[in-house]
């Protein structure tokens, strides 16, 4: 059974700092991995999707990497801003058929002005 | 990115009533949609997989008769919470993977529905 773990559970940083969020998964046979952002009381916004054959994806100040063999992904946020404050979730899709995702518990990020 | 909508965004009902939540993929077709439940400060818990034209697949421990799912078209899935009780109060979120034109199956989520049962 796939298990996804995110570390740290919570993180508080000053504005402008670069930071890394970690995600690990136990079964390396994944189809893809997605990073999401969730604001309080809201749905999930897809940030980045990395296919199993890819090593990284970039969007603006965000960079996600994937090391499938070691079961790890990182989300790098450059020059953090107070507006980045949210919960960040990673989710993996299995390599077998079906689209269901397995989620981590999330990292709650607070960027202080 | 693709858009998934949910309606209503918030509902308050009396215990014993039934509540229907709609999930729509606005700009793509989805043969499969997923329904999640989220408790405060917790991650998403998959409740069921909604399949267009066939029965939904429920996760272990989720009551089929309690949470009725109907996937009537390629853009609409509904979740009906029957005979709602206060313990059903939660945040319900749906998602849909986009299979075309991209084959990446990127999943897009609705904004969620906050259900409060009095």
């Amino acid at each position: 059974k796939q298990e996804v773990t995110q570390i740290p559970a919570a993180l508080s940083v000053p504005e402008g700092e670069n930071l890394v969020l970690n995600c690990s998964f136990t079964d390396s046979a994944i189809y893809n991995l997605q990073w999401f952002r969730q604001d309080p009381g809201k749905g999930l916004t897809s940030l980045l999707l990395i296919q199993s054959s890819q090593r990284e994806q970039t969007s603006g100040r965000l960079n996600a990497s994937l090391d499938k063999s070691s079961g790890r992904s990182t989300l790098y946020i450059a020059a953090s801003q107070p507006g980045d404050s949210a919960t960040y979730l990673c989710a993996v899709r299995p390599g077998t058929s079906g689209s269901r995702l397995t989620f981590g518990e999330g990292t709650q990020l607070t960027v202080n002005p | 990115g693709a858009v998934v909508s949910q309606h209503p965004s918030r509902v308050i009902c009396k215990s014993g009533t039934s509540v229907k939540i709609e999930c729509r993929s606005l700009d793509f077709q989805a043969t499969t949609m997923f329904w999640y439940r989220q408790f405060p400060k917790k991650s998403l818990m998959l409740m069921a997989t909604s399949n267009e034209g066939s029965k939904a697949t429920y996760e272990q421990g989720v009551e089929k008769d309690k949470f009725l799912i109907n996937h009537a078209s390629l853009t609409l899935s509904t979740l009906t919470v029957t005979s709602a009780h206060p313990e059903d109060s939660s945040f319900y979120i749906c998602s849909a993977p986009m299979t075309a034109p991209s084959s990446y199956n990127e999943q897009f989520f609705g904004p969620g529905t906050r259900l409060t049962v009095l």
Side-chain angles (χ1 to χ4, degrees):
Chain A
K1 178 186 173 185
Q2 177 75 271
E3 292 183 0
V4 180
T5 304
Q6 289 187 246
I7 295 174
L11 181 64
S12 181
V13 300
E15 182 177 4
E17 194 163 295
N18 302 324
L19 57 100
V20 175
L21 307 181
N22 297 292
C23 172
S24 61
F25 45 96
T26 55
D27 187 348
S28 62
I30 65 170
Y31 185 81
N32 61 35
L33 182 147
Q34 266 184 274
W35 281 94
F36 296 91
R37 167 185 174 142
Q38 185 176 30
D39 293 286
K42 304 292 184 181
L44 275 65
T45 299
S46 179
L47 298 174
L48 290 164
L49 179 147
I50 310 179
Q51 292 296 99
S52 61
S53 58
Q54 297 174 324
R55 298 285 290 183
E56 65 176 345
Q57 282 287 333
T58 298
S59 176
R61 294 183 293 109
L62 305 179
N63 176 279
S65 68
L66 174 64
D67 184 343
K68 198 175 77 165
S69 61
S70 66
R72 293 178 185 175
S73 176
T74 61
L75 178 66
Y76 175 82
I77 303 177
S80 59
Q81 303 170 358
D84 295 330
S85 299
T87 296
Y88 291 81
L89 295 153
C90 76
V92 298
R93 181 193 163 190
T96 55
S97 63
S99 302
R100 54 182 296 169
L101 299 177
T102 301
F103 280 87
E105 289 290 316
T107 293
Q108 185 173 350
L109 172 66
T110 302
V111 181
N112 301 299
Chain B
V3 178
V4 174
S5 70
Q6 273 184 250
H7 178 80
S9 59
R10 187 181 296 269
V11 57
I12 300 172
C13 69
K14 292 182 179 180
S15 185
T17 60
S18 294
V19 175
K20 180 186 285 188
I21 303 171
E22 292 185 348
C23 177
R24 292 181 186 273
S25 55
L26 297 185
D27 48 3
F28 66 101
Q29 294 182 333
T31 56
T32 301
M33 292 184 178
F34 299 93
W35 286 96
Y36 296 85
R37 184 172 178 176
Q38 187 176 33
F39 293 100
K41 297 190 181 299
K42 294 292 185 182
S43 191
L44 282 72
M45 181 189 78
L46 180 64
M47 298 174 64
T49 302
S50 174
N51 304 299
E52 190 269 335
S54 64
K55 291 183 179 180
T57 306
Y58 290 82
E59 295 300 301
Q60 192 172 11
V62 178
E63 298 177 58
K64 300 178 183 181
D65 296 332
K66 176 76 172 172
F67 299 99
L68 300 179
I69 291 174
N70 183 13
H71 198 140
S73 74
L74 288 172
T75 59
L76 174 64
S77 174
T78 60
L79 168 68
T80 301
V81 183
T82 63
S83 187
H85 290 282
E87 58 265 30
D88 298 324
S89 298
S90 192
F91 192 57
Y92 293 87
I93 310 176
C94 69
S95 75
M98 186 166 68
T99 56
S102 166
S103 62
Y104 287 172
N105 272 263
E106 185 173 0
Q107 288 223 20
F108 296 93
F109 283 75
T113 296
R114 172 72 60 191
L115 171 63
T116 302
V117 185
L118 303 176

